[in-house]
Amino acid sequence: MLGDAGANLLGFTLGYGVIMILPWEAQILIVVILSYLHKYAEVSSITQMIERNRFLNWLDRLGRT
């Protein structure tokens, strides 16, 4: 588990990398995807979605074992 400080640092690093590396079209696509994910999280459970998807579940459990 990252904790607050680790999650903030990871989010900053990924966001900065997106801004510096990807073209603006890809940045807009990422914003749209993140906006959809945020809207989805408001009406449904992302945890249940992760548990139903084999790849996401595997990815989620990587740091737990």
Side-chain angles (χ1 to χ4, degrees):
M1 296 180 63
L2 288 174
D4 289 337
N8 289 337
L9 180 61
L10 178 62
F12 170 77
T13 304
L14 292 174
Y16 187 75
V18 164
I19 290 172
M20 297 304 292
I21 295 172
L22 296 178
W24 68 271
E25 295 91 351
Q27 293 176 21
I28 290 175
L29 179 64
I30 289 173
V31 168
V32 168
I33 291 170
L34 290 176
S35 297
Y36 172 77
L37 190 59
H38 178 72
K39 179 67 176 169
Y40 181 79
E42 292 292 325
V43 297
S44 186
S45 171
I46 291 181
T47 301
Q48 290 175 353
M49 179 186 71
I50 290 171
E51 289 174 352
R52 285 187 304 237
N53 185 302
R54 293 179 80 189
F55 175 72
L56 292 177
N57 194 15
W58 174 80
L59 193 62
D60 185 47
R61 295 184 181 275
L62 269 179
R64 297 183 187 192
T65 57

